Amino acid sequence: MAKKRKVGNLLALAVLAVMQDESMHRYQIAARLREYGKDQDMDIKWGSLYTVVQNLAKAGFLEVVGSERDGARPERVIYRITGAGRAELVDWTRELIAEPEPERGRYIAGLSILAVLPPDEVAELLGRRLTVLEEQIAKVKKDLADLSTSLPRLFLIESEYGLAVLEAEAEWTRSLRAELVDGTFAGQAEWQAWHRGGSGVDAARVREYVEGADTGH
């Protein structure tokens, strides 16, 4: 079970990770996060960086070691990671790797109320999704091939995982769309009948499901 963290925002984990070997002020932290592609690995809200850094310092994971001023710009506070911060970084990483948690994405939300759309439209939308997925897969493969010539695999492992997830999603989506296109999806006739204003026990069950999805029941 996931622990309750003093600073639970995943941006905090990224900050601790990039500060292992160097003291930095917030602008340097932001630049390093972008340089390392952390904004691609996790949902980073840049506007919250200041608050996250402050909270890490308040929790004892970062400490102030000085400040600097560049011309007329405001003074910049310099932070470094503490022993407690290193321990938090290691413990949090262990948890993320070892303990799976349910991840609720937008696609899952859409699939959970799929019946509100007619099956022929769903097939068309899934085709559009597949086109985008295939473009994303091709890009990730190219990026991995390019980066593998200059970086050890250890620093590309999250991209490998992302590629595997994209490929699995594409394969599953392709299979679902194929069932809808050839009419072999179980209950598709009743589903279609409901959208065409049909009647019957099975169509009524679909109506019941759709109305329950609309009201959150």
Side-chain angles (χ1 to χ4, degrees):
M1 181 177 177
K3 295 180 181 178
K4 183 173 178 58
R5 300 284 169 183
K6 290 181 180 179
V7 189
N9 188 327
L10 281 176
L11 176 55
L13 182 69
V15 169
L16 292 175
V18 300
M19 293 192 69
Q20 290 183 84
D21 302 314
E22 185 180 353
S23 300
M24 289 182 268
H25 54 64
R26 285 186 299 110
Y27 297 99
Q28 289 173 316
I29 294 170
R32 197 60 51 84
L33 288 169
R34 289 190 175 94
E35 179 187 345
Y36 290 171
K38 294 304 176 188
D39 53 338
Q40 304 299 316
D41 302 332
M42 55 187 77
D43 184 18
I44 289 181
K45 294 180 174 58
W46 296 107
S48 63
L49 179 59
Y50 178 78
T51 301
V52 166
V53 169
Q54 281 192 318
N55 289 340
L56 285 169
K58 188 182 300 183
F61 299 144
L62 296 179
E63 62 183 359
V64 177
V65 293
S67 63
E68 66 178 37
R69 184 184 297 276
D70 183 6
R73 291 180 178 177
E75 189 175 55
R76 296 173 174 177
V77 178
I78 300 173
Y79 298 88
R80 73 179 172 198
I81 193 170
T82 64
R86 293 181 190 280
E88 177 72 358
L89 172 62
V90 170
D91 185 64
W92 200 347
T93 303
R94 284 173 176 156
E95 178 188 291
L96 290 173
I97 298 301
E99 301 178 21
E101 285 190 355
E103 296 182 17
R104 301 288 181 251
R106 288 162 51 88
Y107 193 25
I108 293 174
L111 290 171
S112 73
I113 53 171
L114 199 63
V116 304
L117 300 174
D120 52 348
E121 182 181 357
V122 171
E124 190 271 331
L125 294 170
L126 291 175
R128 285 162 52 183
R129 187 180 191 91
L130 274 169
T131 297
V132 175
L133 285 171
E134 286 163 359
E135 290 172 354
Q136 291 176 341
I137 288 168
K139 182 179 185 306
V140 174
K141 284 183 174 179
K142 181 180 183 306
D143 290 345
L144 273 172
D146 292 343
L147 290 170
S148 64
T149 61
S150 58
L151 287 175
R153 187 184 176 200
L154 177 61
F155 299 112
L156 299 173
I157 204 74
E158 73 277 10
S159 296
E160 285 188 15
Y161 173 76
L163 176 60
V165 171
L166 285 172
E167 289 178 327
E169 181 182 326
E171 180 180 355
W172 185 87
T173 300
R174 191 175 294 110
S175 175
L176 174 59
R177 182 177 183 276
E179 288 184 61
L180 293 173
V181 169
D182 62 25
T184 59
F185 184 86
Q188 184 170 339
E190 292 79 11
W191 176 10
Q192 185 67 63
W194 183 83
H195 280 279
R196 289 175 177 167
S199 59
V201 175
D202 290 326
R205 287 177 181 171
V206 174
R207 178 191 295 276
E208 192 175 282
Y209 169 78
V210 173
E211 290 175 347
D214 286 342
T215 59
H217 298 306

